[in-house]
Amino acid sequence: MNVILLGPPGAGKGTQAEGIVKEFGLVHISTGDMLRAAVKNQTEMGLKAQEYMTAGALVPDEVVIGIVRDRIAEPDVADKGFLLDGFPRTVNQAEELDKVLSSMDKSIDAVINIVVADEELLSRLTGRRICKSCQKPYHVMFKPPKADGVCDDCGGELYQRADDTVETVKNRLDVYHNQTAPLIGYYKNQGVLVDIDGTKTVGEVFTDIENALKAKV
Ligand SMILES: [Zn+2]
């Protein structure tokens, strides 16, 4: 089974990805992790990617697709199938991925799309606080410290990352929607898209994903 996982920042994609690969024995292909690994191992693609990253530029599609293609061609993926996370992000990438897959006689079986309204994502993401001293994460609503603004473990001061302010989060969500809306349409047309309500508890969301994937097997 080959699966793509989509979801906005704050939708709990990372936690669900862990559960899915464990339950279905899939190989987790995270493009962020792979880019870092390719650069670290100085592979041909890694060296190309590094040139762009050093220059502060976005790594172009052909390089990312090359890295994904190399990974998909490895024997463990052929045996188990994959869960793609963080890729594709655009319709162009999705089309290129389809070409790569069909050249290997493979295809996408399901695209899990975790749906959470922006308002909810805003309160999830802007509520995050981190301890300045020990980096322990808190949340003003879901995991508040015992004393306001103070770390339970070390007494350190809690702060909000620049990434988590209302303005930045709104901007990140806009970027996500602009990029992903056409992608969602693309997979809907292929009949592989499954919308999952991401406002339920982590366990409930996982059960819904599990049932959706079992229906595809
Ligand atoms: Zn602390």
Side-chain angles (χ1 to χ4, degrees), residues 131-136 138 151-158:
C131 172
K132 263 184 184 167
S133 308
C134 73
Q135 318 302 319
K136 184 174 176 174
Y138 292 87
C151 178
D152 292 346
D153 287 0
C154 75
E157 189 188 333
L158 303 187

Side-chain angles (χ1 to χ4, degrees), residues 76-88:
D76 61 333
V77 177
D79 289 349
K80 298 173 183 170
F82 60 75
L83 177 75
L84 256 181
D85 174 6
F87 181 90

Side-chain angles (χ1 to χ4, degrees), residues 157-212:
E157 189 188 333
L158 303 187
Y159 77 105
Q160 184 180 41
R161 293 191 324 170
D163 268 8
D164 295 338
T165 61
V166 175
E167 271 315 293
T168 322
V169 170
K170 273 190 178 159
N171 190 34
R172 279 162 69 199
L173 292 176
D174 283 347
V175 169
Y176 177 80
H177 290 307
N178 288 338
Q179 278 190 339
T180 319
L183 192 60
I184 287 169
Y186 179 84
Y187 286 122
K188 205 172 199 170
N189 285 337
Q190 289 193 355
V192 288
L193 189 81
V194 185
D195 284 331
I196 297 288
D197 178 0
T199 58
K200 299 181 183 177
T201 66
V202 171
E204 286 167 341
V205 172
F206 184 68
T207 305
D208 288 349
I209 294 174
E210 210 181 358
N211 290 336

